[in-house]
Amino acid sequence: MEMKDIAVHVYRLLAASFLALAAIDVQASSVESMRLWAAPDHARLVFDLSSATNANVFSLENPARLVIDLDDTQMDTDPSTLPLHDSAITSVRTGIRDGGGLRVVLELNRDIEPRHFTLTPNDQYGHRLVVDLEYPGESAVENPIDPIEAMIRDQEIQSQRATAQQQVPGSVATPVPSPPVEVQEARAHPRRDIIIAVDAGHGGEDPGAIGPAGTREKDVVLEIARRLAAQVNGTEGFKAVLVRDGDYYLGLRQRTALARDQKADFFVSIHADAFTSPRPQGSSVYALSQRGATSETAQWLADSENRSDLIGGVDGSLSLRDKDQVLRGVLLDLTMTATLNDSLSIGGQVLEQLGRVNRLHKSRVEQAGFMVLKSPDIPSLLIEVGFISNPDEERRLRDPVHQSGLSQAIFSGLREHFQRYPPPASLLAWQRDNQRRPSGNEYRIQSGDTLSAIAVRHGVPVNQLKQANDINGDVIRVGQVLQIPRS
Ligand SMILES: [Zn+2]
């Protein structure tokens, strides 16, 4: 061979081996870890991959299984440590596929609808394959409201909307007290519960802010949200819907959509602040702003909270929901002003109460464009209970006594508002109207009443009540007028 030929030959050899190396680099991937979160309506399984890879996902029956095939991938983690409880998965098997590649088989104990997508690296995670196992017919909320309550709410919302459309837009400066519902003998007052949607921020693969001692925002806010929900449920005339009740992620739009599905009267999202310096501390309350943030901090915070969806993973139906929301937004434009005023009014009450148990970071309700507050028909607040980046406040946020104090303060604030402005069909409205009866010593029996409840409400022993009205047994009838004796 001539020198020139040898040079060409060597060149070809080198080129070939480079190509081979490049090919290996592109193809071989490994599963570095697997993470699982169980929600009431779905489970999410995330594969952390060393590089992007092709996945094929399909179901098998008898027994029910989900197969996840990954091209040219090897397993570098032990799936037996995954927390399978509360998920549809009973066990995870892995093996090498005929012709190479990794096969992961999930054994299932129920019907699922699989969905999968890949995510490219971001601040927190690298390449990911996300497999969602959705449970058909399940609600993301543990105790959805009962269908009759939902119907009552729908009627009420419609009549409110009609009222709002009669008003001149922009003229509502303060919340308008709801007109008393006319109680007819033929039709009982619905006396429905006021529904409070309690949203714990972040969750699942999105930890939120992390304190200097490692406290995760998603954990402390869930604790506070659960305490708040328990207080709401323990109060007559109120019912809580926990938007997130576990360690899993929900899209920001999904959270308000859930509140709307559950016919919530009010939506509150609970968060903990973080800042680059350890000094800032105290609670803040935010309402939505359509025009822009009231302060630079508010804007910065809104940006970082809105970023959540990028970490938590994207919802496939997001764009569709978005359009729906825009349409709804236009339709509900007239109620928006009233809703925002309600938010600010409730926010003021909540802030005042929070000021009794914690320092306030800002002494008035701030406004910013938080995604999670963009619910035109439900008054909504985002509460930053404190700064998790402040070591002292981080410690307090983990303290159950402080958590209870915060949730009590939040509830006192919103209860104060709803006592003043109860929705027309609510128990609170009914109570208000009945207490205001001019003839305080007479009471007309409503459907659902019992003698003992009437006695308690008027502070009279049951026996005296029966004597004064010549009642022998426990039988009373709707529409009957009782004389209430002075006790
Ligand atoms: Zn947050």
Side-chain angles (χ1 to χ4, degrees), residues 469-481:
N469 292 281
D470 247 333
I471 299 172
N472 285 322
D474 288 306
V475 182
I476 48 173
R477 58 184 165 75
V478 174
Q480 184 182 356
V481 176

Side-chain angles (χ1 to χ4, degrees), residues 40 139-146 195 233 239-242 245 262:
S139 168
V141 169
E142 293 275 11
N143 297 305
I145 68 165
D146 116 0
I195 315 269
N233 284 328
K239 183 181 185 294
V241 169
L242 258 180
D245 192 11
Q262 296 301 307

Side-chain angles (χ1 to χ4, degrees), residues 201-202 206-209 217-218 221 269-274 301 304-306 308 370 382-384:
H202 311 278
D206 171 21
E217 179 183 357
K218 68 171 181 178
V221 297
S269 189
I270 300 181
H271 290 257
D273 251 330
L301 190 69
S304 61
E305 296 292 7
N306 291 346
S308 224
F370 290 98
L382 186 142
I383 298 174
E384 298 278 352

Side-chain angles (χ1 to χ4, degrees), residues 259-279:
R260 196 174 298 114
D261 284 352
Q262 296 301 307
K263 317 286 175 198
D265 292 276
F266 178 68
F267 175 90
V268 57
S269 189
I270 300 181
H271 290 257
D273 251 330
F275 198 63
T276 44
S277 111
R279 199 155 325 147

Side-chain angles (χ1 to χ4, degrees), residues 110 134-135 151 173 183 197 231 326 330 374 418 422:
R110 61 182 300 169
E134 281 170 11
Y135 311 151
M151 210 177 66
V183 184
Q231 276 154 11
V326 169
V330 173
K374 289 185 178 166
F418 281 111

